[in-house]
Amino acid sequence: MASGNITGLTAAPVEAGKAPSSLTQTWWLVRVNLFLARRRVMSKVLGALLVFFYVLIAGFVTLAYFSVKASPTTCPPQATGCPPPDQLAALRQEQLIAISNAVTFPHAFTVTGAYTQFMGVLIICIMVGALVGGEYGFGTHRLSLPRGLSRLQVLGGQVLASAIMALLITVGLFLLGTLLGLTLGPALGGNVQGLTLEGVRELVVYCLAIALYLFGYAMFAVLFATLGRSAAAGIAGAIGLLFLEFVVVNIVFPILAQVLSGDTAARVAHIPDWFPGPNFGALVTHAGEAPVAFSRGGQAGLDLTHAALMTALYIAACLVGSYALFRSRDVTD
Amino acid sequence: MSDSTDETSAVVLRTSSLTKRFGERTAVNALSMEVHRGDVFGLLGPNGSGKTTTLRMVLGLVWPTGGDIALFGEHVSAANRRELLRRVGAIIEQPAFYPYLTGRENLRTVSRFAGLAASDATRKRIDEALELVGLALRAQDSYKTYSLGMKQRLGIAAALLTEPDLILLDEPTNGLDPAGMVEVRGLIQQLSAQGVTVLLSSHLLYEVQQVCTRVAIINQGSVVAQGKVTELLSSQASLVMGFAEPAIAEQAMRVLTEASQSAAPWLQGLSYVAPESGAWTPPGGWLLRADAPPERAPDITALLAAQGVYVAELRHRELSLEQYFLQLTTPEQGA
């Protein structure tokens, strides 16, 4: 170090030999990335939207509940094939119970899980795409890399921060789900049920599987942002993949499978089994199978080993691809 | 390049045959330079000559295609880059910071990148750096509201955070008003006085001449001149002579040309040159120039007087850094 203090700056900034370890420094980067994500106005807006739409869904459920409740128990005079009033009342009661159960603890987590897999994944793709791509847009790699950080550390910090963000979004929404399940559900006549130890285990694994689902798509956002050197590329790439996958898996391949016949149709019908979404989703389905069955109504189950391997493969491919690009690339922004 | 240990330890930055190609284009071509401890080293060159690419390679932002970089006497590799760069502060081109963070938050972020713990000492250091560059009152404002000059100041504050041994400043006065430029110049001199080595890239040659002790001039990716400013300029020193009549000037040219081939081999570069703007213009409009140091003036007058040729005016002419730079980097000037 230069002898004396530079230009009258008195506080000693670096103590000799006290440089943080590589791991400590990477953890600091994770925290910096989380701080950067938190300080963006966009993150606050997205967070607010995430909560707002969740509350809106709760509002619609309440509206549906009261609409059903207000429906008449007798048929109009000229109606044909109308069930008798007592049967109609029983049917209405069944509907009311189904609606209130959907927002009652612990079954409210089914709605929450589905919501997280839809809205949460959009939000994390935007946040992670902006986080990684923003470094290119603002030229802020010039702040980190010349301080001696390796590209692996910089990318590692972003990836770990993305994992924490995926977990925070999931846990946050599940806390909202808990609140909903313990307030709105009972208010609508739902019957709160306690969780056994197995139920808690299922909830934790289900929650983690959804966080992994979000993280998987977040890694695509990292890859696309690195590939396109911009936030727009990261966001558009990951969300584009989501929608493309939705269309291909739910529309194109089912139609093809119907149009074709025999072995070809069967093979075509199984092509989506190799896509990221069905595999990420299958993990969630498996995680929430029993005893509470949080994931009922989820995607048809692929084999767990297949889903786990494919998920690991996709995440690894995104990470290796991103690192290979970042590692070999000159920072000229 | 010396192998002496003492001299090697005095070399803070050395590039050897440093080369960078972007596809077919060679941005930096076998560039070798040495920055010595305590230097205020000016890296000069026209736009696109490879200055910023060179600095980016030193900082690990751009990977060299060939050649070697040594910092503080050690070859920079993946294994030691982190430790070596911790001793370097830098601003590369326009300062880049997070626009949605305040000035203080940006410096806090940089301090974490630099491996400084979130301690009271670091916080104090940040406050002092902000004070030093005159941003203390705007520290809580968002970076995106800063003027270009303020952004540049924040960049300088960031470069000073870790008390570096070597500071790389790429166009540090860009966007600063005249008072700000004077302040930065003062700061550079202050840093140098305290033993910090400064590598300065600038287009403002007058400024470079004022603060730099050594320079490297690069053109089209290659070093075309390197050394102490005073030595480089004095190597270009010449004597210019004016004569009362054009015919005498022609006679003087003949006398000196003959002398340079026999009795006065030190007499080189004889040519007719135009007078500088505002200087005395002799009849005929041309001066006679000889590449010779000032101490040779009596010899020249003696040579001419021996042949009955008398000089009306004899002046020592030293190029400014700007003239020297243009001579080396502008094709017409060089020719």
Side-chain angles (χ1 to χ4, degrees):
Chain A
M1 288 290 124
S3 59
N5 298 311
I6 294 176
T7 61
L9 301 184
T10 55
V14 183
E15 291 177 56
K18 290 283 176 77
S21 71
S22 190
L23 275 179
T24 306
Q25 180 83 63
T26 307
W27 172 240
W28 288 2
L29 287 179
V30 173
R31 292 180 59 181
V32 164
N33 280 304
L34 290 173
F35 172 71
L36 292 174
R38 184 168 63 81
R39 287 287 281 113
R40 278 172 180 257
V41 174
M42 184 182 72
S43 305
K44 289 166 187 154
V45 172
L46 290 175
L49 282 178
L50 197 62
V51 174
F52 172 75
F53 282 117
Y54 190 82
V55 172
L56 199 65
I57 287 172
F60 282 131
V61 170
T62 310
L63 197 66
Y65 179 86
F66 285 109
S67 299
V68 172
K69 197 171 185 182
S71 63
T73 49
T74 54
C75 293
Q78 275 79 39
T80 56
C82 185
D86 54 339
Q87 203 177 331
L88 205 59
L91 192 65
R92 192 181 70 168
Q93 193 55 33
E94 264 178 44
Q95 286 175 329
L96 288 174
I97 289 169
I99 292 172
S100 61
N101 271 349
V103 288
T104 302
F105 186 91
H107 300 290
F109 292 132
T110 301
V111 174
T112 308
Y115 176 77
T116 310
Q117 285 179 79
F118 176 67
M119 273 300 281
V121 82
L122 291 177
I123 299 289
I124 197 150
C125 285
I126 295 171
M127 287 177 70
V128 172
L131 184 74
V132 177
E135 295 289 329
Y136 291 96
F138 302 137
T140 36
H141 281 133
R142 279 188 271 154
L143 282 183
S144 53
L145 296 176
R147 264 83 193 174
L149 297 172
S150 70
R151 281 161 166 80
L152 185 63
Q153 280 181 309
V154 172
L155 186 68
Q158 289 168 337
V159 167
L160 289 173
S162 304
I164 292 173
M165 277 154 58
L167 202 59
L168 287 176
I169 289 174
T170 310
V171 170
L173 284 173
F174 271 64
L175 285 175
L176 262 183
T178 308
L179 189 69
L180 183 83
L182 294 175
T183 54
L184 183 64
L188 297 182
N191 185 19
V192 174
Q193 292 169 357
L195 283 176
T196 61
L197 202 60
E198 273 301 290
V200 172
R201 187 203 60 80
E202 184 193 341
L203 178 61
V204 171
V205 176
Y206 180 62
C207 203
L208 289 174
I210 290 176
L212 183 64
Y213 182 95
L214 266 55
F215 179 70
Y217 280 105
M219 291 306 95
F220 279 103
V222 171
L223 178 66
F224 286 120
T226 308
L227 199 63
R229 299 184 195 219
S230 70
I235 296 167
I239 293 180
L241 173 76
L242 265 171
F243 280 99
L244 187 70
E245 201 179 41
F246 178 82
V247 170
V248 169
V249 171
N250 296 297
I251 300 170
V252 176
F253 278 101
I255 290 174
L256 278 177
Q258 279 192 340
V259 170
L260 300 168
S261 59
D263 285 350
T264 314
R267 275 199 295 274
V268 165
H270 280 94
I271 288 176
D273 293 355
W274 303 95
F275 288 5
N279 286 287
F280 298 170
L283 284 184
V284 176
T285 307
H286 282 291
E289 259 177 348
V292 187
F294 291 118
S295 60
R296 65 181 178 279
Q299 283 166 301
L302 285 169
D303 174 59
L304 178 61
T305 312
H306 176 277
L309 282 176
M310 288 305 296
T311 300
L313 193 71
Y314 273 114
I315 291 175
C318 287
L319 288 176
V320 170
S322 303
Y323 179 64
L325 278 171
F326 189 32
R327 171 74 184 80
S328 62
R329 185 178 276 169
D330 294 322
V331 176
T332 52
D333 310 283
Chain B
M1 197 181 297
S2 168
D3 288 327
S4 153
T5 309
D6 286 341
E7 282 195 28
T8 304
S9 64
V11 177
V12 170
L13 167 65
R14 172 183 290 142
T15 68
S16 311
S17 304
L18 193 62
T19 301
K20 179 63 190 179
R21 279 188 287 275
F22 294 105
E24 293 295 303
R25 186 174 67 85
T26 302
V28 176
N29 188 15
L31 189 144
S32 298
M33 67 174 184
E34 281 185 357
V35 179
H36 296 165
R37 190 174 301 282
D39 271 351
V40 178
F41 190 93
L43 189 60
L44 311 176
N47 284 333
S49 60
K51 301 186 299 291
T52 300
T53 304
T54 302
L55 296 185
R56 282 177 185 268
M57 283 192 279
V58 170
L59 293 169
L61 288 167
V62 167
W63 302 119
T65 311
D68 183 65
I69 299 167
L71 276 168
F72 311 108
E74 287 184 54
H75 160 74
V76 179
S77 65
N80 65 4
R81 178 173 287 112
R82 182 161 168 254
E83 280 314 306
L84 294 175
L85 287 181
R86 276 171 61 82
R87 298 169 64 187
V88 179
I91 309 178
I92 295 295
E93 291 182 310
Q94 298 296 309
F97 287 98
Y98 298 99
Y100 48 91
L101 298 186
T102 66
R104 179 175 280 112
E105 285 171 337
N106 266 303
L107 288 192
R108 210 176 290 158
T109 303
V110 172
S111 73
R112 303 299 268 173
F113 290 153
L116 303 183
S119 63
D120 286 342
T122 302
R123 276 187 283 276
K124 191 174 175 198
R125 177 79 176 185
I126 289 169
D127 287 343
E128 286 177 346
L130 286 165
E131 187 76 45
L132 179 77
V133 297
L135 283 177
L137 294 176
R138 297 290 306 272
Q140 288 303 103
D141 292 347
S142 175
Y143 175 75
K144 63 181 170 224
T145 65
Y146 284 10
S147 66
L148 183 57
M150 291 165 74
K151 290 174 179 175
Q152 204 73 30
R153 286 162 195 269
L154 192 66
I156 292 171
L160 293 176
L161 271 185
T162 49
E163 198 158 318
D165 289 330
L166 170 66
I167 295 187
L168 309 186
L169 302 172
D170 192 7
E171 306 285 353
T173 53
N174 201 7
L176 294 182
D177 55 21
M181 288 165 127
V182 171
E183 277 176 39
V184 169
R185 212 154 50 217
L187 184 65
I188 291 170
Q189 284 164 337
Q190 206 177 340
L191 288 167
S192 174
Q194 289 170 359
V196 179
T197 308
V198 180
L199 171 51
L200 170 75
S201 146
S202 178
H203 292 295
L204 304 174
L205 300 173
Y206 170 74
E207 182 177 275
V208 170
Q209 191 169 2
Q210 282 195 313
V211 295
C212 290
T213 50
R214 296 178 70 243
V215 293
I217 298 177
I218 60 175
N219 194 26
Q220 296 179 341
S222 301
V223 173
V224 289
Q226 182 173 195
K228 287 186 177 170
V229 176
T230 48
E231 286 175 4
L232 286 177
L233 295 183
S234 64
S235 72
Q236 299 300 309
S238 59
L239 292 167
V240 288
M241 294 154 269
F243 299 89
E245 292 173 26
I248 302 176
E250 284 173 26
Q251 199 182 345
M253 179 60 123
R254 273 197 303 277
V255 168
L256 293 176
T257 304
E258 281 169 20
S260 71
Q261 289 160 359
S262 54
W266 45 266
L267 196 53
Q268 295 297 318
L270 288 164
S271 62
Y272 288 108
V273 292
E276 288 167 336
S277 171
W280 172 67
T281 304
W286 292 96
L287 296 165
L288 184 57
R289 192 184 93 169
D291 290 344
E295 56 271 22
R296 287 292 187 181
D299 299 330
I300 290 178
T301 50
L303 279 170
L304 291 171
Q307 300 297 321
V309 179
Y310 297 97
V311 179
E313 184 186 84
L314 175 64
R315 276 188 293 118
H316 167 231
R317 187 155 93 169
E318 191 174 77
L319 293 182
S320 68
L321 188 59
E322 188 171 66
Q323 288 168 323
Y324 183 50
F325 174 84
L326 289 173
Q327 186 176 299
L328 289 172
T329 59
T330 313
E332 312 86 72
Q333 297 268 346

